[in-house]
Amino acid sequence: MSLFWYALWFVVAVGLLVTVHEFGHFYLARRLGFRVLRFSVGFGKPLIKWTAGPDATEYVIAAVPLGGYVKLLDEREGPVEASELPRSFTRRPHWQRIAVLLAGPTSNILFAVLLLWGMFWINGVSEVRPVVGDVTTGSVAAAAGLKSGDEIRAVNGTAVQGIRDVVFDLLDAMSARGEADLNVRGADGAARVASLAVADPDTRRRLTEPSELLRGLGFQFWPPVPAVLGQVEAGGPAARAGLAAGDEIMSVDGAPVANFHDIIARISAHPGERVTIDYRRGGATHSAEVLVASDDVAGKRVGRIHVMQPPPPTRTYPPSMLLHTDLTAGAALSRAAAEAWNMTVLQARLFWRMVLGRVSLKNLSGPLSIAEFAGDSAEAGVSAFLGFLVLISLSLGFLNLLPIPILDGGQIAFQLIEWLKGSPLSERTQAFGQQVGIALLIVLMGVALYNDIARQFG
């Protein structure tokens, strides 16, 4: 996919969500009698600019589409005519100032609810049943007694409907105490409990890294990943032995393999040793002797041949694997509000645990990753792109509520302090707060950009 495609959909997504956010500030400020001087989408040099309305508000579309702002009349920024003083930000009641500051994040959350409402009402809700596919030998899942064909019905007592519910609940559990009781129904119809437990804090934190949760626990969802090689690292053990992407692995040292996780289990047990791999390519069967690498994984020597599992195919699930529910307008709205609330609460818990060091900082995504997600979701279709907008809009709403002085949440904190103490904060205190806020944002953006670059280079 081209760089232009990613950039295009990044601008579309961010521009739309920033407009929604700033319109929330703008609309409520106008309704409450504040004077709005400028409404800007983007920063930097104006590309398009015009003036309209009774207050001669300036509307701007600027060159850098990474944010926006609404500028209100404020006597701290320059002289204000006496007749306009009642409309200045500092002269309005504190509850009105706080309401205007809250309106931006609230608009993002309401926008996400409206998108979800429309999607649920029109399409209903379709989920894939959380049926276990592969279980890795010797893994946490295997030790808990989880088996291929098990359907997960609840996590720590909370009923789950689909795969996403299970993933979110497991992520929540592993980043907390590292314990998760799974109520499952086996392939034979019998119900039982499989208890996952990860005691080591460092291991739990690694499970919170992107794409590591299920891999680290040692299971995947149905269907099992086929025993086919995906990307083969150039110069790695498999490549040196002549193996290539697309090869179907038949056996390792004579032991048949049924899926990709069988390959992992067989290879992991032979660090630094030579193994014989039988494989099929183009209808013909071949054999290769591979010198297995000995890699350090969590302080343990593990065998690796430096290959990736095959990319997931476009799957058409059989009807028995799908759960579909059609919703009325009222039921869809209720489901949308509950979903937005649950996702926002989970964001808050995971962010706090990230501050405590219990969730990996690798989850922070910067503009490169967001652009990639935007382009990929746009290519996948309207529903996927709208789902992406829901997630980003909720994230934007939540992040702006954090008590960081340069964000809405920090400004709300300032206003609450002023309201309680009965007098304005000193300019020195506010300036210090702004400096701290900028420093924190620079750190967060630096970590996010580092993660972006690390993902691009694997």
Side-chain angles (χ1 to χ4, degrees):
M1 196 180 300
S2 70
L3 182 62
F4 173 77
W5 178 267
Y6 288 131
L8 170 65
W9 289 105
F10 173 79
V11 171
V12 170
V14 173
L16 174 61
L17 297 181
V18 166
T19 301
V20 168
H21 182 95
E22 299 306 333
F23 181 77
H25 293 309
F26 169 82
Y27 177 78
L28 193 59
R30 290 281 299 270
R31 294 286 295 178
L32 292 176
F34 293 75
R35 180 172 180 180
V36 181
L37 302 179
R38 183 179 300 124
F39 182 127
S40 178
V41 176
F43 297 111
K45 182 179 180 180
L47 300 176
I48 303 173
K49 182 168 61 174
W50 70 96
T51 301
D55 290 332
T57 302
E58 186 179 55
Y59 297 88
V60 176
I61 298 177
V64 183
L66 293 177
Y69 62 95
V70 169
K71 184 177 181 181
L72 304 177
L73 184 67
D74 192 327
E75 60 194 288
R76 294 171 298 181
E77 298 181 3
V80 175
E81 294 181 10
S83 60
E84 289 293 308
L85 278 176
R87 303 186 65 193
S88 172
F89 181 82
T90 53
R91 299 299 179 99
R92 307 301 299 174
H94 282 91
W95 72 264
Q96 291 188 2
R97 301 183 215 172
I98 292 171
V100 169
L101 290 167
L102 278 172
T106 301
S107 294
N108 282 123
I109 294 171
L110 289 177
F111 180 71
V113 171
L114 289 175
L115 283 182
L116 285 171
W117 181 31
M119 293 166 66
F120 291 163
W121 188 11
I122 294 170
N123 300 324
V125 178
S126 292
E127 298 178 273
V128 181
R129 288 170 50 203
V131 176
V132 176
D134 297 332
V135 177
T136 305
T137 304
S139 65
V140 173
L146 203 62
K147 299 176 182 177
S148 181
D150 286 345
E151 181 177 0
I152 300 172
R153 312 299 294 272
V155 179
N156 285 337
T158 301
V160 294
Q161 295 296 319
I163 289 175
R164 195 187 64 164
D165 288 349
V166 175
V167 171
F168 282 174
D169 286 351
L170 283 176
L171 183 60
D172 190 19
M174 289 301 119
S175 63
R177 295 185 304 163
E179 299 174 357
D181 291 331
L182 308 183
N183 293 89
V184 303
R185 183 177 64 186
D188 59 358
R192 66 182 195 283
V193 176
S195 297
L196 306 177
V198 181
D200 181 57
D202 290 336
T203 302
R204 293 205 301 266
R205 184 166 54 251
R206 278 194 295 273
L207 289 175
T208 67
E209 294 179 7
S211 304
E212 285 298 320
L213 179 65
L214 298 183
R215 183 189 308 171
L217 292 174
F219 78 96
Q220 298 290 331
F221 289 106
W222 187 95
V225 179
V228 175
L229 301 186
Q231 181 180 342
V232 176
E233 180 183 302
R240 290 198 301 270
L243 294 170
D247 288 346
E248 180 184 358
I249 307 302
M250 312 299 295
S251 66
V252 177
D253 272 349
V257 295
N259 52 59
F260 193 84
H261 291 278
D262 280 351
I263 300 174
I264 295 174
R266 302 276 189 270
I267 297 297
S268 295
H270 297 283
E273 301 176 19
R274 292 186 180 275
V275 299
T276 300
I277 295 180
D278 296 319
Y279 63 98
R280 183 182 291 126
R281 180 189 296 171
T285 301
H286 307 272
S287 183
E289 188 176 81
V290 183
L291 177 59
V292 179
S294 179
D295 293 351
D296 186 342
V297 178
K300 181 181 178 182
R301 306 312 297 182
V302 175
R304 291 285 189 264
I305 58 173
H306 298 180
V307 298
M308 301 291 287
Q309 68 182 35
T314 302
R315 295 170 181 158
T316 301
Y317 289 97
S320 61
M321 284 294 298
L322 296 175
L323 300 170
H324 180 80
T325 306
D326 289 318
L327 299 174
T328 64
L333 180 59
S334 176
R335 176 74 177 256
E339 188 113 338
W341 170 257
N342 290 336
M343 284 193 283
T344 302
V345 169
L346 180 60
Q347 279 189 90
R349 281 205 294 263
L350 294 179
F351 186 86
W352 177 241
R353 291 170 189 169
M354 189 181 297
V355 172
L356 296 177
R358 288 153 53 184
V359 170
S360 174
L361 289 173
K362 293 181 180 180
N363 290 286
L364 291 175
S365 295
L368 298 181
S369 292
I370 295 173
E372 187 174 355
F373 298 150
D376 289 344
S377 63
E379 186 178 41
V382 174
S383 292
F385 186 68
L386 292 179
F388 164 78
L389 287 179
V390 167
L391 291 175
I392 300 301
S393 193
L394 288 174
S395 296
L396 187 60
F398 166 73
L399 289 174
N400 270 279
L401 288 174
L402 294 176
I404 297 176
I406 200 170
L407 300 178
D408 294 328
Q411 295 302 312
I412 290 169
F414 278 172
Q415 295 302 319
L416 285 172
I417 293 170
E418 285 191 5
W419 198 357
L420 290 172
K421 72 189 288 283
S423 61
L425 292 171
S426 67
E427 291 186 9
R428 181 179 178 181
T429 299
Q430 294 189 49
F432 177 74
Q434 296 289 349
Q435 291 168 359
V436 170
I438 291 171
L440 286 172
L441 280 185
I442 289 174
V443 170
L444 288 174
M445 291 174 64
V447 172
L449 187 58
Y450 173 82
N451 289 341
D452 281 357
I453 295 171
R455 291 185 189 113
Q456 295 302 316
F457 287 95

